[in-house]
Amino acid sequence: MEKSARGALLRRNVTQDEVGNATAYLLSDWASGVTGEVHYVDAGFNIGGGDPGIEPAASGSTSPSS
């Protein structure tokens, strides 16, 4: 869950309410004109490039972070 949050543009995970809200929208008349669309409810993970990993080591350090 932490890796997912770090890789998302909003730097957090989505909530069940957010997924439910998106589902309610897609099932409502408001989405009547939506066809063949992919709706990501992922706080921007799909365009965020994934987990950036651990912060880089301090300057002068020669050993990689684990």
Side-chain angles (χ1 to χ4, degrees):
M1 295 297 286
E2 290 175 14
K3 287 180 78 170
S4 176
R6 284 194 308 262
L9 292 181
L10 297 179
R11 298 292 184 245
R12 64 174 179 80
N13 290 306
V14 295
T15 65
Q16 290 179 352
D17 285 342
E18 290 171 320
V19 174
N21 290 343
T23 302
Y25 158 72
L26 290 170
L27 293 173
S28 76
D29 289 340
W30 289 356
S32 62
V34 176
T35 59
E37 184 64 44
V38 176
H39 289 268
Y40 293 97
V41 183
D42 64 359
F45 187 85
N46 68 4
I47 58 174
D51 179 17
I54 298 173
E55 293 294 320
S59 179
S61 175
T62 58
S63 62
S65 299
S66 58

